[in-house]
């Protein structure tokens, strides 16, 4: 089934196939490296501003760390309601309190045209301000819609600002 979906989505778009292979390679490398240090915050709650094309757009975001890995939930609203769950691997960069992240998850959305169910990926930068309880994230969150209509939305650029605790 997954092969049929990927063939249908990526059949005529070689660039998307290359992008998928790069993302899979980065995930594999990330999973095989040892974590350097734990995150500078444990929990964060705030808002996400996202582009208007994917099923999960702007909304409320909550992130919880378990070591260097985090789980993130996004409650999206606008032209419908949706919820997205992501598992993220965070890796520190040379700048203090700055990390890059990569992850995957899924979503369910409901709007006037019906329901959508699919898979989501995420890759981005995460920064925690050292003197104040504020975290910001800039990310790319592509989505592969599987149920109601098969389609790929690569336009999922987002910015999040969260209160950390």
């Amino acid at each position: 089934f997954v092969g049929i979906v990927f063939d249908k989505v990526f059949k005529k778009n070689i660039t998307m196939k290359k992008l998928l292979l790069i993302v899979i390679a980065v995930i594999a490398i990330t999973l095989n490296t040892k974590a350097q240090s734990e995150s500078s915050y444990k929990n964060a709650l705030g808002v996400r501003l996202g582009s208007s094309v994917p099923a999960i757009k702007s909304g409320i975001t909550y992130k919880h760390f378990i070591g260097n890995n985090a789980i993130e939930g996004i409650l999206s609203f606008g032209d419908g309601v949706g919820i997205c769950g992501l598992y993220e691997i965070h890796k520190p960069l040379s700048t203090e309190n700055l990390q890059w992240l990569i992850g995957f998850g899924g979503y369910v959305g409901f709007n006037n045209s019906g329901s959508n169910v699919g898979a989501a990926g995420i890759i981005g930068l995460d920064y925690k301000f050292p003197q104040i309880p504020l975290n910001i994230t800039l990310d790319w969150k592509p989505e592969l819609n599987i149920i109601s209509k098969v389609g790929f939305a690569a336009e999922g650029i987002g910015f999040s600002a969260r209160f950390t605790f």
Side-chain angles (χ1 to χ4, degrees):
F1 175 74
V2 173
I4 294 169
V5 170
F6 280 137
D7 282 347
K8 200 171 193 181
V9 172
F10 298 117
K11 191 170 191 171
K12 295 182 181 177
N13 195 337
I14 301 300
T15 305
M16 295 310 290
K17 286 182 183 179
K18 289 178 184 177
L19 176 64
L20 180 63
L21 290 174
I22 290 169
V23 169
I24 290 171
V26 169
I27 290 171
I29 291 167
T30 301
L31 291 175
N32 287 325
T33 60
K34 185 179 177 193
Q36 295 176 4
S37 66
E38 291 202 11
S39 173
S40 59
Y41 64 98
K42 188 78 170 168
N43 298 292
L45 177 66
V47 295
R48 174 184 169 82
L49 303 174
S51 54
S52 63
V53 175
I56 305 300
K57 304 168 182 68
S58 299
I60 299 169
T61 173
Y62 174 76
K63 187 181 282 198
H64 173 74
F65 275 90
I66 304 163
N68 274 352
N69 301 332
I71 52 174
E72 181 176 0
I74 303 168
L75 176 61
S76 176
F77 44 87
D79 62 342
V81 175
I83 188 162
C84 179
L86 297 163
Y87 178 79
E88 301 169 350
I89 300 161
H90 287 245
K91 297 291 182 179
L93 294 169
S94 59
T95 302
E96 190 173 345
N97 297 318
L98 180 64
Q99 305 176 62
W100 68 277
L101 65 101
I102 189 166
F104 58 91
Y107 66 89
V108 177
F110 305 96
N111 58 29
N112 294 337
S113 62
S115 60
N116 297 307
V117 177
I122 190 166
I123 188 166
L125 294 172
D126 183 274
Y127 181 74
K128 164 63 176 82
F129 289 91
Q131 303 299 322
I132 58 174
L134 178 64
N135 154 255
I136 58 173
T137 303
L138 180 62
D139 62 60
W140 176 53
K141 187 181 66 57
E143 296 175 352
L144 176 62
N145 199 61
I146 299 171
I147 296 180
S148 98
K149 181 177 150 184
V150 175
F152 183 73
E155 301 90 319
I157 302 293
F159 173 79
S160 299
R162 301 180 193 90
F163 173 76
T164 62
F165 54 100

